[in-house]
Amino acid sequence: QVQLVESGGGWVQAGGSLRLSCAASGRTFSSYGMGWFRQAPGKERAFVAAISWSGAGTVYAESVKGRFTISRDNAKNTVYLQMNSLKPEDTAVYYCAADGVVRRTRVVITTNGYDYWGQGTQVTVSS
């Protein structure tokens, strides 16, 4: 079992920045890929960014390329999402997720590729 806890969400004006954190516990964090997803009211959960177990590979949704950066600190069992130049359309609940396959070569961008999810943290961007 894995427990994931997101933090860092909040209310910001358009153009501002936030850094989300996801702390993991319950298994060997460094052996698994991690991802960030978001869900706006009435919408399906959508892929945002993912990072491989080694940290060498990253993938971003087209809508956030150049603005968001995913990273991980295995010593702290934590994955981060740095969000810059925020837009109102970024408003959503943001979830972190842990891959269910150890040391997967490819970065997963689909929800069914992840076995463990955090509770979510709200990000609201005003215009």
Side-chain angles (χ1 to χ4, degrees):
Q1 288 74 29
V2 174
Q3 293 79 47
L4 304 173
V5 180
E6 301 98 333
S7 62
W11 192 317
V12 299
Q13 290 187 282
S17 298
L18 286 172
R19 189 178 75 158
L20 306 183
S21 299
C22 176
S25 63
R27 68 172 179 174
T28 304
F29 174 78
S30 62
S31 297
Y32 298 88
M34 299 289 293
W36 285 97
F37 294 77
R38 65 188 181 187
Q39 188 166 20
K43 304 291 181 64
E44 293 187 353
R45 192 166 299 187
F47 170 75
V48 176
I51 187 167
S52 67
W53 69 273
S54 68
T58 58
V59 179
Y60 297 91
E62 190 67 28
S63 60
V64 306
K65 283 183 178 179
R67 300 189 298 121
F68 291 10
T69 302
I70 188 171
S71 62
R72 65 190 300 159
D73 186 339
N74 289 344
K76 298 180 179 179
N77 287 350
T78 301
V79 62
Y80 303 95
L81 186 68
Q82 178 67 46
M83 304 185 294
N84 298 326
S85 301
L86 283 162
K87 305 174 181 179
E89 51 262 45
D90 294 320
T91 295
V93 177
Y94 283 70
Y95 299 88
C96 68
D99 197 347
V101 177
V102 64
R103 295 187 295 276
R104 194 198 298 265
T105 300
R106 290 172 288 178
V107 178
V108 177
I109 64 171
T110 55
T111 57
N112 62 1
Y114 293 88
D115 282 1
Y116 304 98
W117 296 82
Q119 83 288 349
T121 185
Q122 177 70 47
V123 172
T124 303
V125 184
S126 61
S127 61

